[in-house]
Amino acid sequence: MRDEKQLKAIASKMVLKGKGILAADESTPTCTKRFDSISVESTFENRNKYRNMLFTSSNIEKYISGVILFDETFKQSTTCKNKIPFVEYLNSRGIIPGIKVDGGTQDLAGFPDEKITDGLDGLKKRLEEYYNMGARFAKWRAVITIGDDIPSDACIYSNAHGLARYAALCQNANIVPIVEPEVLMNGSHTIETCYEISKRTLNVVFEQLILNRVMLEGIVLKPNMIISGLDCDNQADIDKVADMTYRCLKENVPSEVAGIAFLSGGQSSDLATAHLQKMNEKYQDEMPWNLTFSYGRALQHDALNSWKGSNVSGGQEAFLLRANANSLATKGIAV
Ligand code: 13P
């Protein structure tokens, strides 16, 4: 039976003011792509060393409330002599260990250029196993693509249903679900189109969550920001992104939701920080939830490029600078 008190407590801890979530759950192929960009071979050992560099940064717990792990990392340990399992290590520093449980995306049958997220089969058992191994939250990413005549209703409904079934299973296993409906920034669409599609998506996601009896106080929503498509000629400025993202969330996300932690989605690290900072500066007193970060690329880019396979102190320094800037951004403070 789900323990609602525990779920609420964990969800609130994940989005505490001043802290955010580190998404370090790149699958092996995605991690290989990141390592290719710095010419480091993507071996089991190198992936272990890289994650170890991030997690053992000093004072990381001042900025990071939880870390999302990929299955491989979830079972790895620190690289120091006494090899502490990462889950135990993170717990000892007051950081909540989380696990990516979706199986990635597949083509949505009958709908060219649209995707559906895999992973519901066997999920109940996997969640029980992860709970017993120490996971207290999970992540499932659904992807919505904007293009000519897409997204279709079928894509939005199928993905929203998947998210809701996942979230219900998580809560039954006493794991807080991060619900991530990502409207991609790829394309030449305007910020207004991003707003409309994100609004439609959020509405269907919450309809499905409620239909499936998901307790909204025990989830963390991980949405995209409302931004111009990457190839749009007219790029909205920071104020407009802050205003439209705030409006979209305020009007379409129920106030019961424990908190909101954005994905970065391919924005530069600086912009992802600036957008979060501006939203909190302007609107933090008018929102029922804390607005924080659950960035992957925008938290790791500087660190990855300084580390380059061996420079541990340089990587950690870059990581902490960025984590601190995002932590301040959750309070509306610019560095
Ligand atoms: P990005 O911040 O790089 O978009 O990654 C966040 C994430 O967890 C995607 O699922």
Side-chain angles (χ1 to χ4, degrees), residues 23 25 139 141 180 182 222 263-266 294-298:
D25 60 323
K139 177 190 113 170
R141 172 176 176 257
E180 181 177 2
E182 175 174 7
K222 177 162 172 168
L263 57 94
S264 60
S294 174
Y295 296 158
R297 284 162 285 181

Side-chain angles (χ1 to χ4, degrees), residues 90-125:
L90 291 169
N91 270 322
S92 75
R93 297 193 62 176
I95 298 170
I96 312 168
I99 178 77
K100 168 194 171 78
V101 296
D102 67 64
T105 58
Q106 296 289 336
D107 292 340
L108 179 63
F111 293 85
D113 302 325
E114 297 197 282
K115 300 281 179 198
I116 181 73
T117 303
D118 261 356
L120 286 173
D121 287 353
L123 182 57
K124 179 175 181 287
K125 186 159 170 278

Side-chain angles (χ1 to χ4, degrees), residues 23 51 86 89 101 105 123 126 133 138 169 235 299 330:
R51 268 65 181 249
F86 277 143
Y89 178 78
V101 296
T105 58
L123 182 57
R126 283 196 293 133
M133 288 188 284
L169 285 165
Q235 290 289 315
L299 256 181
T330 69

Side-chain angles (χ1 to χ4, degrees), residues 154-165:
C155 176
I156 294 178
Y157 270 90
S158 310
N159 276 295
H161 183 72
L163 278 167
R165 294 274 302 117

Side-chain angles (χ1 to χ4, degrees), residues 28 49 65 79 89 103 120 128 135 145 174 184 218-219 247 252 279 293 298 303 305 311 313 317 331:
T28 302
K49 274 193 211 160
S65 58
T79 55
Y89 178 78
L120 286 173
E128 284 163 10
T145 309
N174 289 319
L184 293 178
I219 72 163
R247 185 152 58 87
N252 302 292
M279 274 182 246
F293 56 91
N305 282 281
N311 183 356
S313 59
E317 197 181 323
K331 300 176 180 168

Side-chain angles (χ1 to χ4, degrees), residues 40-55:
V40 169
E41 200 188 342
S42 177
T43 59
F44 181 89
E45 284 74 25
N46 283 341
R47 290 192 294 274
N48 198 158
K49 274 193 211 160
Y50 175 64
R51 268 65 181 249
N52 185 79
M53 181 275 291
L54 294 174
F55 305 162

